[in-house]
Amino acid sequence: MEQILTALDALQLKSPRMITIPPEATLAEAIEKMIEYNIGAILVKEGDEIIGIWTERDHLRNTLMPGYDPKTNRIGDSMQTVLHSAPADTSIMALQDIFLGLFIRHIMIVDEGKYIGLLSIGDVIRAALLQKDREIKELHQMASWEYYENWGWDRKHRSKKKEQE
């Protein structure tokens, strides 16, 4: 069987590059960047450190806040600062459990103490489906029609041989 896919494998299936924006950027600037890269979440980076995440859902929630103006509000004031993370060698199945258990949609991937990428639940589901597809193809090769056609060959020929005796 193929090896179990990990968070690192899932990152390599997509662009592992992290799209970031500084905390002083406006929400409108963040939205423009998210549209440009076709992403649903953007990381907030100050210097060399990721300090938060801002998502489409945050934008939706913020629209009902008094004084909400994407052209003037700063992303640093609206971002989420709790960043959930998992090691790069975490299996895809374990990542699914994390997403479901914590009711989150994004998780940072860590390798050697540094963030190396961001995975969404969609990225992980895609990797899980690709893993299942590979497993099915391997099983299909192991148990091909030829295998089934010849499965009882020895039994059939033994019984014919006994009849002839």
Side-chain angles (χ1 to χ4, degrees):
M1 281 285 167
E2 283 274 328
Q3 73 181 49
I4 302 291
L5 289 180
T6 65
L8 184 59
D9 297 323
L11 275 177
Q12 291 170 348
L13 289 172
K14 63 177 248 165
S15 172
R17 188 174 74 194
M18 293 184 284
I19 307 302
T20 64
I21 197 157
E24 60 274 0
T26 65
L27 299 178
E29 291 169 324
I31 293 167
E32 287 173 8
K33 203 167 195 181
M34 290 166 72
I35 290 168
E36 177 185 348
Y37 288 97
N38 193 27
I39 55 176
I42 193 161
L43 296 169
V44 183
K45 186 175 182 180
E46 191 166 44
D48 290 337
E49 187 178 349
I50 304 291
I51 60 168
I53 186 170
W54 191 73
T55 69
E56 296 166 324
R57 281 191 161 200
D58 294 324
H59 174 57
L60 184 63
R61 250 187 300 275
N62 292 343
T63 59
L64 297 177
M65 303 295 278
Y68 178 73
D69 183 358
K71 293 181 181 177
T72 59
N73 291 90
R74 304 285 169 207
I75 197 144
D77 298 327
S78 300
M79 68 183 178
Q80 298 173 43
T81 56
V82 174
L83 298 172
H84 297 283
S85 64
D89 62 354
T90 304
S91 74
I92 293 301
M93 291 299 291
L95 286 174
Q96 289 176 327
D97 288 344
I98 293 168
F99 279 115
L100 291 172
L102 296 175
F103 295 98
I104 59 174
R105 292 181 172 218
H106 300 90
I107 193 164
M108 298 296 300
I109 304 305
V110 180
D111 191 26
E112 297 180 8
K114 291 185 177 184
Y115 292 132
I116 61 168
L118 176 70
L119 288 177
S120 70
I121 183 104
D123 297 328
V124 172
I125 289 171
R126 179 174 182 259
L129 290 173
L130 288 171
Q131 181 174 329
K132 291 293 178 207
D133 183 59
R134 284 188 205 133
E135 290 170 3
I136 289 167
K137 286 178 181 172
E138 287 176 13
L139 288 171
H140 185 263
Q141 285 179 338
M142 289 174 11
S144 66
W145 280 114
E146 186 178 310
Y147 170 82
Y148 286 113
E149 288 172 354
N150 295 324
W151 186 52
W153 187 86
D154 187 47
R155 231 181 349 189
K156 289 178 194 172
H157 289 285
R158 246 187 296 144
S159 61
K160 283 184 183 178
K161 199 174 187 180
K162 283 184 182 179
E163 288 174 12
Q164 292 173 354
E165 291 175 353

